[in-house]
Amino acid sequence: MTLNFVEIPTAGGGWLKPAEIKDAVALLIEVNSYEPQRPTPNGPKDSALCDVTVFKTPESLASRTPEVNKGMRIEQTLLARDLEKVVGNATIVKLDQVPPKRPGAHPAWVWRPVNDATVRQAVIEYAQAREAAVNAAVADAPDFD
């Protein structure tokens, strides 16, 4: 019998702070799970647990040296709800803010697609190379059967 190893998603990557990565060239969001109305100290919130790969600059994209955050919790309402349909998959996005609808409210963070085809292709190539490296490591692992 072969074992199928999977990682248990944990919130070891902290919480997404959009203001810190708002100028990133691209974000690779891999959604592990989604919980509607998850209990928090500040009341229930929609919550997505994701692996977030941040390409902060064009140089980090070109050299394939992103910032990788495994198990990052995303609880901003619009951001989390948009990820509900992506569970088990990945998306390539950027962050943007939209003006508030009510006077005095804060602008909301939203995902925007990365429209630059070369940036999208570079992120896809990074993900494929990472997956190939994982598969090669698994293939090189000793077989104890």
Side-chain angles (χ1 to χ4, degrees), residues 83-122:
L83 296 175
E84 179 180 12
K85 295 175 180 72
V86 187
V87 173
N89 295 298
T91 186
I92 302 169
V93 292
K94 293 172 70 168
L95 281 167
D96 194 13
Q97 279 188 306
V98 294
K101 292 183 179 178
R102 296 178 314 216
H106 296 290
W109 290 103
V110 294
W111 303 117
R112 295 286 188 223
V114 174
N115 294 324
D116 185 336
T118 57
V119 170
R120 287 185 62 80
Q121 188 59 37

Side-chain angles (χ1 to χ4, degrees), residues 49-67:
L49 189 59
C50 306
D51 295 338
V52 180
T53 304
V54 182
F55 295 92
K56 287 189 174 181
T57 63
E59 293 78 24
S60 69
L61 182 62
S63 64
R64 293 187 177 170
T65 54
E67 176 185 300

